[in-house]
């Protein structure tokens, strides 16, 4: 199976949202609202079209999706622009084929090319470290969620970008609507 990663096109948001809803349907950890969040993020000033990516088969079937949007990390020393990965979704019948990793790597490369040095996520502690994520607390970065710290992760997209970054991740209000 050949998979191609590309930027989401105009008119694909409904298909993207259905894919996300299907991908998260069987996950107990999910609040099953990810597709609503993506719809809202597309309408916000945090949305970066170049970082809304789909994975599709060689027959044109959309099987995966990733979105990185703008967030800030705020400390006493100032504000750092960063990105939040939310969500990463792959249709259940296509999972465990490396598609999530392909989406992550492509999104990371595109984000770095746009000048973003870091990305944060709330995600599975055993999955994301294989792609370079580490516990954010190790860098003095905190999340505004009541979850174990090993699920709060960060990655350096540009070498050295985490050197002076610490503080609280500030998600736009649209994340909490």
């Amino acid at each position: 199976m050949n998979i191609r990663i590309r930027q989401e096109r105009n008119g694909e948001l409904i298909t993207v949202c259905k894919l996300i809803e299907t991908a998260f349907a069987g996950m107990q950890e999910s609040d099953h609202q990810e597709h609503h969040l993506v719809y809202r993020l597309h309408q916000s000033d945090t949305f970066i079209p170049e970082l809304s990516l789909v994975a599709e088969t060689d027959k044109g079937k959309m099987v995966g999706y990733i979105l990185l949007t703008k967030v800030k990390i705020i400390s006493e020393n100032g504000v750092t622009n960063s990105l939040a990965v939310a969500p990463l979704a792959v249709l259940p019948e296509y999972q465990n084929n490396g598609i999530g990793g392909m989406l992550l790597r492509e999104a990371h490369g595109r984000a770095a090319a746009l000048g973003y040095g870091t990305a944060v996520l709330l995600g599975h502690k055993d999955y994301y470290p294989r792609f370079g994520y580490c516990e954010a607390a190790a860098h003095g970065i905190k999340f505004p969620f009541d979850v174990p710290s090993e699920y709060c992760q960060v990655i350096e997209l540009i070498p050295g970008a985490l050197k002076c970054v610490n503080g609280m991740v500030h998600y736009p209000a649209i994340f909490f609507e």
Side-chain angles (χ1 to χ4, degrees):
M1 166 179 36
N2 291 324
I3 297 294
R4 168 174 93 110
I5 308 297
R6 63 167 174 80
Q7 184 175 328
E8 175 193 347
R9 296 181 188 125
N10 287 335
E12 291 184 320
L13 182 55
I14 291 172
T15 304
V16 163
C17 287
K18 286 180 183 173
L19 181 150
I20 295 165
E21 186 175 19
T22 301
F24 282 93
M27 294 189 67
Q28 293 179 7
E29 303 88 1
S30 170
D31 65 0
H32 307 290
Q33 299 300 308
E34 293 86 1
H35 58 292
H36 296 299
L37 173 62
V38 167
Y39 184 83
R40 291 192 313 270
L41 287 169
H42 272 68
Q43 317 310 316
S44 77
D45 62 358
T46 66
F47 181 69
I48 306 166
E50 298 87 349
L51 299 179
S52 181
L53 306 177
V54 300
E56 66 181 10
T57 66
D58 47 5
K59 295 185 178 171
K61 179 177 181 176
M62 193 182 298
V63 298
Y65 178 75
I66 191 169
L67 178 62
L68 280 68
T69 53
K70 300 173 193 174
V71 295
K72 297 184 182 302
I73 302 173
I74 300 175
S75 73
E76 295 174 357
N77 300 326
V79 176
T80 301
N81 292 318
S82 188
L83 297 169
V85 178
L88 171 62
V90 176
L91 290 175
E93 63 270 27
Y94 289 89
Q95 291 176 5
N96 300 310
N97 288 303
I99 296 169
M102 291 171 65
L103 283 161
L104 274 168
R105 285 187 287 278
E106 183 67 22
H108 292 162
R110 290 180 184 215
L114 291 172
Y116 290 94
T118 62
V120 298
L121 62 77
L122 184 64
H124 199 281
K125 64 182 179 68
D126 296 325
Y127 179 73
Y128 291 98
R130 70 180 91 165
F131 302 103
Y133 285 85
C134 63
E135 196 170 326
H139 293 279
I141 299 170
K142 299 176 187 144
F143 283 61
F145 306 112
D146 186 23
V147 296
S149 65
E150 61 263 23
Y151 296 98
C152 301
Q153 300 177 43
V154 65
I155 189 171
E156 189 173 71
L157 302 173
I158 296 173
L162 276 172
K163 280 185 182 170
C164 299
V165 178
N166 61 59
M168 178 67 73
V169 178
H170 177 76
Y171 287 85
I174 200 159
F175 270 86
F176 304 102
E177 292 178 3

